[in-house]
Amino acid sequence: MENLIDGRALAAQIHAETRQNADALRSRGIQPHIVFIRVGEDPASRVYVGMKERTSAELGLRSSTRVLPDSTAQPDLLRLIAELNADRDVHGILVQAPLPAHIDSPTVFAGVDPRKDVDGFHPVNVGKLMLGDDTGFVPCTPGGVHELLIRSNTRIAGAEVVVLGRGNIVGKPMAAILIQKAKHADATVTVCHSRTTDIAAHCRRADILIAAIGVPHFVKAHMVRPGAVVIDVGVNRIPDPSAKTGSRLVGDVDFAAVQPIAGRITPNPGGVGPMTIAMLMRNTVRAAQIQTA
Ligand code: GUN
């Protein structure tokens, strides 16, 4: 149908820009280098890091992956991060979440040099985003949703935006991006979560509805105002006996029910996911630019 927002096509636009910027750096003898750190063998994390490695290579970036055992002690992980912080050949560092339960993720994210924090999770970058200071790094998923809205010519200024989910990786930074007094922002943002009373009533007021709540098919037709722009950030694995693997991935939006009502809607897969990786690659090239300026 005609109302899809094609995340793959928009990500390809960003990749083309990133490749140009990477080429310009390489002509100065600098190849942007991102290091992925994966702790343990979480199957989803293996897939995600693999995709990021492949995309890095396609764009002419260098990537390295450090795989640590599940039993890694937090001080050892922090020591590795400190080494990479000090390594002038490394421009970006990404510690893949989720980390094993015995490791405190905020402490680990705060261990990355903010100038190499291409995930945008370090408190300095979180603070800069909140302050509207664009010298920091914006987390890739909400940054990707923002680019998706901009490049699909969605009106953001003055729009009623409802964000479902208040996590540190998507919901909170998403709201921070869209409430800024800035170009491509100036929205009125409502953040809903598990303790919100009558989520459906909030959702129905949204011109832009962004679902990052982590509940399969949470957004149903009755929650969507006709003509609204619906963005599905969800990646949920559900049992599916008919699938080879016994499970499949679904989003936070009941796509079949919502698509006929929405003005525009992201497919899932093929919507937000490709944009997330595109933003990571862009952040990595920017990190290399900043560190070699
Ligand atoms: N796990 C899920 N999303 C992300 C992300 O954006 N960055 C990292 N490092 N891990 C994640």
Side-chain angles (χ1 to χ4, degrees):
M1 248 168 64
E2 294 305 307
N3 65 345
L4 293 182
I5 302 178
D6 185 345
R8 291 198 181 102
L10 298 176
Q13 291 178 5
I14 297 170
H15 286 326
E17 296 160 15
T18 299
R19 198 178 276 114
Q20 274 195 350
N21 290 329
D23 288 348
L25 280 170
R26 272 208 315 280
S27 71
R28 292 168 41 205
I30 299 151
Q31 186 179 26
H33 180 197
I34 179 166
V35 177
F36 305 113
I37 303 175
R38 188 157 66 67
V39 186
E41 296 300 330
D42 175 61
S45 292
R46 290 175 64 141
V47 172
Y48 288 136
V49 170
M51 284 165 45
K52 294 168 190 175
E53 288 168 337
R54 260 195 315 282
T55 310
S56 301
E58 282 164 15
L59 298 180
L61 314 192
R62 180 178 164 206
S63 79
S64 320
T65 301
R66 306 292 187 94
V67 180
L68 305 180
D70 205 47
S71 58
T72 301
Q74 181 166 310
D76 292 332
L77 175 56
L78 290 172
R79 229 175 335 264
L80 170 61
I81 292 170
E83 268 171 38
L84 298 168
N85 284 342
D87 185 342
R88 291 173 53 94
D89 272 352
V90 172
H91 305 108
I93 302 168
L94 181 147
V95 185
Q96 184 65 33
L99 290 166
H102 67 277
I103 291 178
D104 182 58
S105 302
T107 302
V108 170
F109 295 143
V112 176
D113 183 332
R115 299 192 321 155
K116 300 190 177 187
D117 172 36
V118 289
D119 249 337
F121 293 169
H122 189 285
V124 163
N125 287 317
V126 176
K128 284 184 172 180
L129 173 58
M130 194 53 83
L131 293 168
D133 173 342
D134 64 9
T135 66
F137 290 104
V138 175
C140 302
T141 299
V145 171
H146 192 212
E147 281 293 332
L148 197 80
L149 294 172
I150 294 168
R151 290 172 192 252
S152 62
N153 298 313
T154 302
R155 188 184 62 87
I156 303 173
E160 292 278 348
V161 178
V162 171
V163 178
L164 297 179
R166 56 176 158 184
N168 288 333
I169 293 183
V170 186
K172 277 191 224 170
M174 189 77 253
I177 291 167
L178 296 174
I179 60 173
Q180 294 302 323
K181 188 177 179 71
K183 194 166 177 220
H184 301 307
D186 284 324
T188 302
V189 180
T190 303
V191 180
C192 297
H193 48 76
S194 54
R195 301 297 295 273
T196 299
T197 308
D198 200 351
I199 286 192
H202 285 289
C203 290
R204 278 194 298 271
R205 294 180 46 239
D207 301 307
I208 302 171
L209 179 59
I210 301 172
I213 201 165
V215 178
H217 290 175
F218 181 84
V219 175
K220 306 287 187 194
H222 74 280
M223 301 164 78
V224 177
R225 199 175 58 68
V229 174
V230 179
I231 308 291
D232 187 358
V233 182
V235 183
N236 309 292
R237 188 164 288 283
I238 61 164
D240 179 358
S242 73
K244 265 201 314 261
T245 56
S247 67
R248 69 188 164 98
L249 294 174
V250 300
D252 289 354
V253 175
D254 184 345
F255 183 87
V258 170
Q259 188 195 16
I261 297 161
R264 322 256 338 249
I265 186 168
T266 56
N268 188 347
V272 174
M275 295 298 284
T276 295
I277 297 195
M279 299 310 284
L280 177 66
M281 299 294 118
R282 179 206 258 186
N283 279 352
T284 301
V285 171
R286 203 168 135 247
Q289 287 170 334
I290 291 168
Q291 288 159 50
T292 58

